């Protein structure tokens, strides 16, 4: 599982691919640190553009405002942890359907 419940929402482990030609969520993938959700964005990795785009992409897929998702770990790396604010049980159901 690429997510886990945390106080106030869920933590989602993602691998972001900036400057992608096919933006969007591309399902879970194995990495050295465990399973992660692949998120492709067209934004470049400079100045936090890719981070904001990844947060917005995940928020849109979950039917949430972009402000509900923020980077909590790995801001300068491709492998990141995003915090999604909301009811953990409801969010887990939505994440399972991705």
């Amino acid at each position: 599982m690429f997510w886990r419940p945390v106080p106030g929402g869920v933590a989602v482990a993602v691998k972001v691919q900036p400057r992608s030609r096919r933006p969007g969520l591309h399902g879970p993938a194995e990495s050295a640190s465990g399973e992660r959700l692949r998120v492709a964005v067209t934004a470049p990795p400079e100045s936090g553009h890719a981070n904001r785009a990844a947060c917005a992409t995940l928020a849109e897929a979950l039917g949430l405002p972009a402000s509900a998702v923020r980077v909590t770990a790995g801001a300068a790396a491709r492998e990141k942890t995003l915090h999604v604010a909301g009811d953990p049980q409801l969010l887990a159901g939505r994440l399972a359907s991705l």
Side-chain angles (χ1 to χ4, degrees), residues 19-34:
R19 292 190 174 130
S20 174
R21 291 183 185 196
R22 293 184 10 207
L25 301 179
H26 295 286
E30 286 297 322
S31 74
S33 58

Side-chain angles (χ1 to χ4, degrees), residues 31-88:
S31 74
S33 58
E35 189 175 56
R36 295 186 170 272
L37 178 64
R38 293 179 300 157
V39 181
V41 297
T42 57
E46 295 92 23
S47 303
H49 295 294
N51 287 344
R52 287 189 293 279
C55 290
T57 299
L58 182 59
E60 182 179 337
L62 296 174
L64 299 171
S67 61
V69 182
R70 61 184 168 85
V71 177
T72 57
R78 288 180 186 246
E79 292 190 351
K80 305 175 185 308
T81 302
L82 305 180
H83 179 269
V84 183
D87 177 35

